[in-house]
Amino acid sequence: MTRAADRAPMGPLRFEPLYEYRLWGGRELAAVLDGPLPAAGPVGEAWVLSDRQGHASRVAGGPFAGQTLGQLMADWPEPLLGTQARTFRRFPLLLKFLDARRMLSVQVHPSDAHTRLLPAGETGKTEAWIVLKTGPASRIYAGLKPGTTPTTLRKGLADGRLTDSLAHFTPEVGDCVLLPAGTVHSLGGDLVVFEIQQNSDVTFRLYDWNHVDAKTGRPRPLQVENALACADFTAGTIGPVTPLVDVTAPARETVFRCKQFSCWRVRSQLPFRVGAVGVARVLVCIEGAGRIEHDGAFYPARRGDVLLLPAAMGACEFRPTRAVTLLEIGLPESDVPQFSADRHRR
């Protein structure tokens, strides 16, 4: 028997979000994603594109409905990934919306070079945030103040003054922050962000603000030694990047471009091109609405939608129905210079 998917062209793929309990979360993602949250409790994360065991994104509709991202990677590698079909054994990025009503733990992610600290099959974890909503108490910690050493951090933990060593700033809507693996970081205070990261779930907590998990009645465990072992004490302080405007298409700007991922942001009321020949791209609608036009068909996109554009689609047209803010995310490219985006340092 021939499956419907075998006869169907591969158009934009929309996936069901996976909602995750986090003690620091809230209920704001219902508004961001325009859909119901789990019945009760704080929801900190919505995993909107995930190829991880136990957290597999499933196609929400169309001829591929119900298939996981991993199944698509196995069954349709060339149409999905094009020239990168033989590069990745699993989808290389993990994309999320985060609702940090309270502060996340002060944490560190290892790089690919920290092989001793990486479980089998895992990679390092460089990530980035795009700020969607802030409150009066919102704060981002990113990087260490000059002169900070492992001894400084140990003393800060013992004295309850760890944050004295952490660089921080008050975020604004639209800020974009790149966090290379090894960056000591945290965020919270009624803050909602979109997160792009390597497909890794390795996190070492350095400090957890004395949170007590309501589900266990206990503080969450820390991994201080591992956190210190992979922390980058040379990176300095980190603030929002300065996006690079495309002079040929002023509505489009490069936000992040590094070996782990690329991200462009488009703000426009007029039609514009999305996607690329021979590679997959991901579209994230941050504000507004519109539709993708491809091969005579139209595919709607509204705020909160995340759409995977298979390589087989190539470049296509996005037509806003009202002013739209759209992220376009590219997969890792080995020939991109490490952290070529301009970063403010504070």
Side-chain angles (χ1 to χ4, degrees), residues 84-99:
Q84 295 179 305
R86 299 182 182 277
T87 303
F88 306 115
R89 65 177 181 83
R90 64 181 184 183
F91 198 77
L93 301 180
L94 177 57
L95 306 181
K96 307 175 182 178
F97 287 95
L98 272 58
D99 174 10

Side-chain angles (χ1 to χ4, degrees), residues 120-140:
E122 286 285 15
T123 66
K125 186 175 173 182
T126 286
E127 62 187 9
W129 297 324
I130 296 96
V131 177
L132 306 182
K133 176 185 176 295
T134 64
S138 295
R139 181 160 291 192
I140 287 178

Side-chain angles (χ1 to χ4, degrees), residues 131-288:
V131 177
L132 306 182
K133 176 185 176 295
T134 64
S138 295
R139 181 160 291 192
I140 287 178
Y141 291 88
L144 301 170
K145 292 180 179 178
T148 301
T149 66
T151 300
T152 306
L153 292 187
R154 289 183 191 279
K155 187 174 188 306
L157 285 170
D159 296 344
R161 299 178 62 89
L162 177 72
T163 56
D164 289 352
S165 299
L166 307 183
H168 67 270
F169 64 94
T170 300
E172 299 177 0
V173 173
D175 279 351
C176 306
V177 185
L178 182 62
L179 300 163
T183 302
V184 180
H185 64 278
S186 180
L187 84 166
D190 291 321
L191 189 60
V192 178
V193 304
F194 184 77
E195 182 174 85
I196 308 166
Q197 62 170 81
Q198 289 179 269
N199 188 356
S200 174
D201 202 27
V202 184
T203 297
F204 300 129
R205 297 190 195 101
L206 191 60
Y207 175 65
D208 203 24
W209 310 96
N210 301 315
H211 290 329
V212 174
D213 192 334
K215 286 193 170 184
T216 65
R218 300 176 182 175
R220 296 186 298 176
L222 304 177
Q223 299 85 32
V224 172
E225 295 306 318
N226 285 350
L228 292 175
C230 65
D232 186 348
F233 288 89
T234 67
T237 63
I238 293 175
V241 304
T242 302
L244 303 176
V245 177
D246 187 336
V247 295
T248 64
R252 184 181 180 90
E253 56 190 7
T254 301
V255 178
F256 310 118
R257 190 155 173 77
C258 57
K259 290 181 179 179
Q260 290 79 9
F261 47 77
S262 298
C263 179
W264 301 268
R265 180 169 57 191
V266 184
R267 298 183 244 205
S268 182
Q269 300 183 50
L270 301 175
F272 54 89
R273 301 291 279 176
V274 293
V277 175
V279 295
R281 291 281 172 83
V282 181
L283 301 185
V284 185
C285 188
I286 299 301
E287 286 291 343

Side-chain angles (χ1 to χ4, degrees), residues 72-87:
L72 295 176
M73 291 279 292
D75 295 343
W76 305 87
E78 285 79 17
L80 191 68
L81 296 184
T83 59
Q84 295 179 305
R86 299 182 182 277
T87 303

